[in-house]
């Protein structure tokens, strides 16, 4: 899930913010306008609106869902509310938890769904699947009050404070939208019920309050938008006495033992609020269809009976038609009238089935889906109202349509042709000259109620006038459409052109057409005026729906019997075809199994042959590898012998070199010793010579001494 940001002036796409996997349920913008928080059921994300980048993401456990995450006014605090009724406050800058609001231990579980904060950000109100509201003071972080709404309130859908110019942001008036489509405004301090908007017949879906608190905008269940003036609503407040709602002061009281009778008569106030009046034919019983009431324990019989009694008699008689289920004539409606919207398809099928159960003729009329579809699309959220509107249209504006069934209503078409002949003979003569009958130029407009030739707004505008006039106005509108389109019709001459013209939208001023219809209503002579043959408006009876038998019953019964016969024949044919299909499927299955068996056997044989070939190839490869291995072994053996021989030779050579070196060392040793001996001998000779010289010197000294003595 992604969010888009659009520039309001240029209508250009500014940014596309992706991040949510589920649908975004709420968006909260900071008071500075810079940050925003988007919330889905599984996560909440904080975005920077200056850069459109995600700053933080809050992830939670899968078992605990997020109800809402929003900024508190005039602060940087973020409140996060979870499905287990826990409420936490966070600092928006650091996302540190500031505090947690206490959840009452006693009393029923509320299952918070709706939240509201005063403009000063000091008080918080929460509500959910209960008629109790919890009021917290955010300054003291305490539950200061428990407010019990009237007994009509079972589920709180939305909470909104009404701002006041003189309360300084401490709003006192709280609007509580409940499952019954009524929004009740109470004072949270005095706990008085001031006023309400909406009703069972005109239920509210969602509400928005203007910033100054002067207006309340409500989206209604029927698709309209109502704007209420708070000032006019509060002026009416002084007429009936306000009723008191139950209050439980203090958070520590035992809510289970609380038994307070609450008066709810204030909601019977008249519903004229903003000057706009909305007329509803009858209160739809499912306008209070509250999806929030899907309680775990379900609805008991007493509650269902109370729910039915709350809406009077109409739901029972309509349900008696719907309880009969889908009519056999409309089981395959989607084949002939395919609609893209499954909701519209189912709604059209239900309404047509109810009409067929009401009167047998409506199961045979082929154009009935064309008559009912505009109203189904308009009242798609209110099936009972849609049914009664269609029934009212058939009873009043489709008078005498079915007397010539299965042919078109020739009497009605003759009325239209007589009026056209009186007011535009030239155009009628042109149609006659081209072979165009009223079945081609008037019946397509009537059987579709102009839905093929008008847009939605044009259709609504036309039927506002049709419903406000005599039933003959529909025929006059048909003639007015033809006369207002006389120029293009006079240019047509082919039948296909006329058929296309009356089944497609054309360039037509609806305002001029309506004026022309009023002119025809007032200027048509009485002898040809449809008013003389059509009855005045007759509403549906209040006890039971009126009996509708303005049709040839024998033809309808014959067609019904024939259709039932055909249906039974189709069922028999379908049964036989199913049996044949089953036999054929069994034959095809057996044939496929046999084929698969032989195919499997062939595949197995091929696989076996392939594997035998592979095995032979592998054996051949193994033989070759063994031969190569033997050759390699022989080569390795030769290399080993060569290596051994080389090693032996290197060893012998090494031994020889070692012996040679030893001999060389011996020679060197001998030479050294010989040199040493020679040097020793030379030294000894020198010593002897020195000794001899010393002895010669001594001899001479002795001779001199002797000579001296003897002299």
């Amino acid at each position: 899930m992604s969010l888009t940001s659009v520039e309001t002036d240029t209508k250009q796409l500014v940014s596309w913010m992706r991040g949510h996997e589920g649908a975004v349920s709420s968006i909260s913008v900071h008071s500075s306008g810079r940050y925003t928080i988007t919330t889905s059921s599984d996560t909440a994300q904080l975005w920077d609106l200056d850069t459109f980048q995600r700053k933080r993401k809050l992830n939670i456990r899968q078992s605990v869902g997020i109800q809402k995450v929003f900024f508190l006014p005039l602060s940087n605090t973020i409140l996060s509310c979870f499905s287990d009724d826990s409420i936490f406050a966070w600092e928006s800058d650091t996302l540190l938890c500031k505090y947690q609001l206490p959840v009452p231990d006693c009393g029923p579980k509320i299952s918070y769904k709706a939240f509201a904060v005063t403009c000063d950000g000091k008080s918080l109100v929460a509500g959910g699947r209960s008629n109790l509201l919890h009021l917290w003071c955010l300054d003291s972080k305490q539950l200061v009050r428990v407010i019990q709404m009237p007994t009509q309130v079972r589920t709180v859908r939305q909470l909104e404070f009404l701002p006041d110019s003189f309360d300084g942001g401490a709003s006192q008036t709280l609007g509580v939208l409940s499952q019954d489509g009524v929004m009740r405004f109470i004072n949270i301090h005095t706990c008085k019920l001031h006023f309400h908007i909406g009703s069972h017949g005109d239920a509210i879906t969602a509400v928005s309050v203007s910033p100054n608190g002067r207006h309340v905008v409500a989206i209604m269940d029927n698709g309209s938008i109502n704007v209420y003036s708070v000032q006019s609503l509060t002026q009416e407040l002084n007429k009936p006495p306000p009723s008191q709602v139950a209050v439980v002061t203090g958070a520590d009281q035992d809510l289970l033992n609380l038994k307070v009778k609450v008066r709810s008569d204030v909601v019977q106030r008249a519903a004229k609020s903003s000057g706009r009046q909305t007329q509803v034919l009858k209160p739809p019983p499912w306008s209070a269809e509250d999806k929030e009431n899907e309680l775990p324990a379900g609805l008991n019989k007493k509650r269902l009976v109370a729910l039915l009694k709350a809406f009077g008699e109409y739901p029972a008689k309509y349900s008696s038609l719907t309880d009969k289920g889908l009519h056999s004539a409309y089981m395959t409606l989607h084949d002939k009238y395919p609609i893209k919207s499954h909701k519209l398809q189912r709604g059209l099928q239900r309404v047509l089935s109810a009409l067929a159960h009401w009167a047998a003729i409506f199961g045979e009329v082929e154009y009935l889906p064309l008559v009912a579809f505009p109203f189904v699309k308009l009242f798609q959220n209110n099936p009972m109202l849609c049914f009664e509107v269609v029934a009212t249209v058939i009873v009043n504006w489709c008078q005498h349509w079915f007397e010539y069934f299965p042919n078109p209503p020739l009497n009605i078409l003759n009325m239209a042709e007589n009026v056209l002949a009186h007011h535009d003979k030239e155009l009628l003569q042109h149609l006659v000259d081209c072979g165009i009958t009223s079945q081609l130029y008037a019946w397509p407009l009537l059987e579709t109620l102009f839905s093929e030739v008008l847009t939605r707004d044009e259709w609504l505008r036309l039927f506002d006038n049709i419903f406000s006039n005599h039933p003959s106005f529909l025929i006059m509108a048909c003639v007015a459409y033809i006369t207002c389109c006389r120029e293009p019709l006079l240019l047509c001459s082919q039948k296909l052109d006329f058929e296309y013209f009356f089944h497609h939208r054309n360039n037509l001023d609806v305002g001029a057409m309506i004026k022309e219809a009023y002119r025809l209503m007032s200027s048509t002579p009485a002898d040809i005026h449809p008013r003389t043959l059509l009855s005045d408006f007759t509403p549906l009876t209040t006890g039971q729906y009126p009996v509708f038998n303005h049709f040839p019953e024998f033809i309808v019964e014959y067609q019904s019997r024939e259709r039932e016969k055909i249906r039974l024949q189709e069922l028999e044919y379908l049964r036989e075809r199913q049996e044949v299909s089953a036999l054929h499927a069994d034959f095809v299955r057996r044939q496929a199994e046999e084929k698969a068996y032989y195919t499997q056997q062939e595949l197995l044989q091929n696989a076996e042959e392939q594997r035998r070939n592979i095995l032979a190839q592998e054996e051949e490869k193994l033989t070759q590898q063994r031969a190569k291995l033997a050759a390699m072994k022989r080569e390795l053996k030769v290399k080993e012998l060569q290596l051994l021989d080389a090693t032996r030779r290197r060893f012998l050579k090494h031994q020889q070199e070692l012996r040679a070196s030893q001999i060389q060392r011996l020679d060197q040793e001998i030479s050294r010793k010989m040199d040493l001996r020679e040097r020793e001998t030379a030294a000894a000779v020198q010593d002897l010579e020195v000794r001899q010289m010393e002895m010669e010197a001594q001899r001479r000294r002795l001779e001199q001494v002797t000579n001296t003595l003897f002299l």
Side-chain angles (χ1 to χ4, degrees):
M1 182 64 65
S2 61
L3 298 103
T4 56
S5 178
V6 180
E7 178 65 33
T8 56
D9 296 331
T10 62
K11 307 298 188 298
Q12 297 293 325
L13 180 64
V14 176
S15 177
W16 191 357
M17 297 177 286
R18 300 182 178 89
H20 286 280
E21 296 180 358
V24 176
S25 58
S26 66
I27 300 177
S28 175
V29 181
H30 191 263
S31 57
S32 64
R34 182 177 178 183
Y35 303 104
T36 185
I37 294 177
T38 57
T39 307
S40 61
S41 60
D42 56 345
T43 182
Q45 305 192 27
L46 177 64
W47 305 84
D48 189 338
L49 295 182
D50 292 339
T51 61
F52 299 105
Q53 299 294 323
R54 183 175 64 191
K55 292 175 61 69
R56 296 292 179 91
K57 180 178 180 181
L58 172 63
N59 291 318
I60 61 170
R61 298 193 308 270
Q62 188 175 2
S63 59
V64 180
I66 300 177
Q67 293 297 336
K68 192 174 182 180
V69 180
F70 55 96
F71 286 105
L72 284 182
L74 307 178
S75 69
N76 290 327
T77 303
I78 299 174
L79 278 188
S80 60
C81 310
F82 302 96
S83 59
D84 59 354
D85 289 353
S86 60
I87 301 176
F88 292 84
W90 312 81
E91 184 66 33
S92 61
D93 296 330
T94 61
L95 290 184
L96 296 176
C97 183
K98 299 176 63 175
Y99 57 85
Q100 178 183 2
L101 295 180
V103 180
D105 296 333
C106 57
K109 181 177 175 61
I110 291 184
S111 298
Y112 298 140
K113 296 292 182 182
F115 307 89
V117 182
T118 55
C119 296
D120 58 2
K122 295 183 179 180
S123 298
L124 169 69
V125 176
R129 295 182 177 177
S130 172
N131 65 342
L132 299 179
L133 302 177
H134 287 178
L135 175 63
W136 278 279
C137 176
L138 297 182
D139 289 339
S140 61
K141 289 82 175 175
Q142 295 296 323
L143 180 64
V144 297
R145 185 169 291 117
V146 177
I147 304 173
Q148 185 178 16
M149 296 297 294
T151 55
Q152 294 92 336
V153 178
R154 296 190 304 274
T155 299
V156 177
R157 287 185 176 179
Q158 186 176 352
L159 296 172
E160 292 288 343
F161 276 104
L162 280 182
D164 192 279
S165 302
F166 306 100
D167 58 9
S171 307
Q172 299 180 7
T173 304
L174 175 67
V176 183
L177 178 61
S178 59
Q179 87 291 336
D180 57 0
V182 179
M183 191 164 194
R184 300 168 176 84
F185 291 83
I186 65 171
N187 188 298
I188 60 175
H189 299 296
T190 62
C191 296
K192 289 185 178 181
L193 189 59
H194 287 329
F195 59 93
H196 80 280
I197 57 176
S199 62
H200 293 298
D202 200 10
I204 297 175
T205 302
V207 168
S208 178
V209 180
S210 63
N212 55 11
R214 296 179 181 177
H215 297 88
V216 177
V217 180
I219 301 177
M220 314 307 292
D221 189 57
N222 59 9
S224 62
I225 298 178
N226 291 356
V227 181
Y228 298 90
S229 172
V230 176
Q231 183 178 3
S232 63
L233 291 171
T234 53
Q235 287 176 354
E236 289 187 356
L237 174 63
N238 298 323
K239 294 182 180 180
S243 63
Q244 187 80 18
V245 293
V247 181
V248 182
T249 57
D252 55 348
Q253 295 193 15
D254 187 3
L255 302 182
L256 292 175
N257 297 325
L258 176 64
K259 295 182 180 180
V260 180
K261 294 183 179 180
V262 182
R263 291 168 49 194
S264 58
D265 53 343
V266 71
V267 300
Q268 304 299 329
R269 177 179 55 83
K272 57 176 188 177
S273 53
S274 60
R276 178 185 181 275
Q277 296 182 357
T278 303
Q279 181 179 2
V280 181
L281 294 179
K282 294 177 182 177
W286 44 78
S287 59
E289 180 181 355
D290 39 16
K291 297 181 179 178
E292 295 88 346
N293 287 332
E294 297 175 359
L295 301 177
L299 293 172
N300 54 31
K301 183 177 180 180
K302 182 183 296 185
R303 188 168 180 182
L304 286 174
V305 173
L307 185 64
L308 290 176
K309 289 183 178 179
F311 300 105
E313 190 176 2
Y314 292 119
K317 66 177 184 178
Y318 175 72
S319 63
S320 65
L321 297 176
T322 57
D323 288 344
K324 295 181 180 180
L326 296 180
H327 196 273
S328 59
Y330 299 108
M331 288 292 187
T332 59
L333 179 67
H334 57 278
D335 295 335
K336 192 172 183 180
Y337 297 97
I339 303 175
K340 292 183 179 179
S341 173
H342 295 289
K343 181 180 180 181
L344 288 178
Q345 184 78 49
R346 293 192 300 270
L348 179 61
Q349 200 171 21
R350 285 198 303 267
V351 170
L352 294 177
S353 297
L355 290 171
H357 291 307
W358 175 39
I361 181 66
F362 300 129
E364 309 297 333
V365 178
E366 294 184 356
Y367 57 85
L368 188 62
L370 302 177
V371 174
F373 180 71
F375 300 99
V376 172
K377 191 172 183 180
L378 186 63
F379 301 105
Q380 56 182 305
N381 295 324
N382 202 326
M384 194 210 71
L385 180 60
C386 176
F387 169 80
E388 297 199 345
V389 169
V390 175
T392 304
V393 170
I394 292 175
V395 170
N396 293 277
W397 283 272
C398 299
Q399 298 180 43
H400 308 293
W401 277 31
F402 312 101
E403 294 177 356
Y404 292 88
F405 179 82
N407 299 315
L410 301 179
N411 49 352
I412 300 297
L413 298 180
N414 288 335
M415 294 180 193
E417 187 170 353
N418 292 336
V419 175
L420 179 61
H422 178 78
H423 292 280
D424 199 335
K425 294 182 180 179
E426 180 185 358
L427 178 57
L428 178 60
Q429 187 61 43
H430 174 71
L431 295 174
V432 173
D433 295 341
C434 296
I436 305 303
T437 64
S438 58
Q439 296 186 27
L440 187 60
Y441 64 79
W443 184 233
L445 301 177
L446 293 176
E447 70 175 349
T448 62
L449 296 183
F450 297 89
S451 60
E452 287 185 345
V453 296
L454 298 179
T455 63
R456 183 179 187 274
D457 295 336
E458 293 172 345
W459 188 89
L460 292 174
R461 184 177 177 185
L462 173 62
F463 269 82
D464 284 343
N465 291 272
I466 291 176
F467 288 156
S468 302
N469 288 276
H470 191 270
S472 60
F473 190 85
L474 177 63
I475 300 177
M476 294 303 186
C478 177
V479 178
Y481 182 88
I482 298 171
T483 56
C484 289
C485 298
R486 69 186 314 273
E487 297 299 331
L489 289 175
L490 290 174
L491 297 177
C492 296
S493 59
Q494 301 296 325
K495 183 178 180 180
L496 293 176
D497 296 336
F498 287 100
E499 291 179 351
Y500 183 86
F501 186 89
F502 288 104
H503 286 280
H504 294 80
R505 294 177 184 173
N506 303 288
N507 187 14
L508 174 69
D509 185 359
V510 177
M513 170 189 165
I514 296 174
K515 290 182 180 179
E516 177 67 11
Y518 279 107
R519 187 188 71 81
L520 297 177
M521 284 285 290
S522 60
S523 61
T524 302
D527 57 340
I528 63 172
H529 201 294
R531 179 183 291 142
T532 60
L533 299 176
L534 299 179
S535 304
D536 294 336
F537 175 82
T538 303
L540 299 179
T541 56
T542 57
Q544 289 292 332
Y545 291 124
V547 177
F548 191 88
N549 55 2
H550 306 294
F551 57 89
E553 295 185 5
F554 68 96
I555 295 179
V556 174
E557 291 177 358
Y558 174 77
Q559 288 195 350
S560 179
R561 288 195 301 268
E562 288 297 317
R563 183 165 48 81
E564 182 65 18
K565 181 179 178 181
I566 293 174
R567 187 182 68 85
L568 294 177
Q569 290 177 353
E570 288 181 350
L571 292 177
E572 182 65 21
Y573 166 73
L574 291 175
R575 186 184 62 80
E576 292 179 356
R577 190 177 69 174
Q578 186 176 4
E579 292 179 357
V580 173
S581 299
L583 293 175
H584 178 71
D586 186 66
F587 171 75
V588 171
R589 180 181 59 80
R590 291 177 180 274
Q591 188 178 17
E593 289 179 354
E594 184 178 358
K595 183 179 179 181
Y597 173 76
Y598 286 110
T599 302
Q600 186 179 10
Q601 293 299 320
E602 184 178 357
L603 291 175
L604 290 174
Q605 291 178 358
N606 294 334
E608 183 180 1
E609 187 67 25
Q610 290 178 359
R611 282 165 176 74
R612 289 182 182 276
N613 294 333
I614 294 173
L615 184 60
Q617 293 175 1
E618 292 296 327
E619 290 179 353
E620 181 67 22
K621 289 181 180 179
L622 182 60
T623 302
Q624 294 176 359
Q625 289 179 355
R626 287 177 177 176
K628 290 181 180 180
L629 183 60
M632 291 176 64
K633 286 183 177 181
R634 290 194 299 271
E635 185 178 358
L636 289 174
K637 191 66 176 178
V638 173
K639 289 182 178 180
E640 183 180 0
L641 294 175
Q642 292 176 353
L643 182 61
L644 291 174
D645 184 63
T647 303
R648 184 177 61 80
R649 291 180 180 180
R650 284 197 301 271
F651 178 75
L652 293 176
K653 184 178 180 181
H654 177 69
Q655 292 295 327
Q656 291 177 356
E657 291 176 352
L658 184 60
R659 296 288 178 86
S661 61
Q662 290 178 354
I663 292 172
Q664 186 177 2
R665 286 197 299 272
L666 290 174
D667 291 340
Q668 290 176 355
E669 184 67 21
I670 293 171
S671 298
R672 185 178 62 78
K673 289 184 177 182
M674 290 177 63
D675 292 338
L676 181 59
R677 187 174 63 250
E678 289 179 355
R679 286 195 297 272
E680 291 178 352
T681 303
V685 172
Q686 288 177 358
D687 290 340
L688 290 174
E689 289 179 353
V690 171
R691 184 69 179 168
Q692 185 176 1
M693 290 176 64
E694 289 178 356
M695 292 178 62
E696 185 65 25
Q698 290 178 1
R699 184 181 66 78
R700 288 177 179 177
R701 280 196 304 267
L702 290 175
E703 285 180 355
Q704 287 177 1
V705 173
T706 305
N707 290 330
T708 303
L709 292 176
F710 287 107
L711 293 178

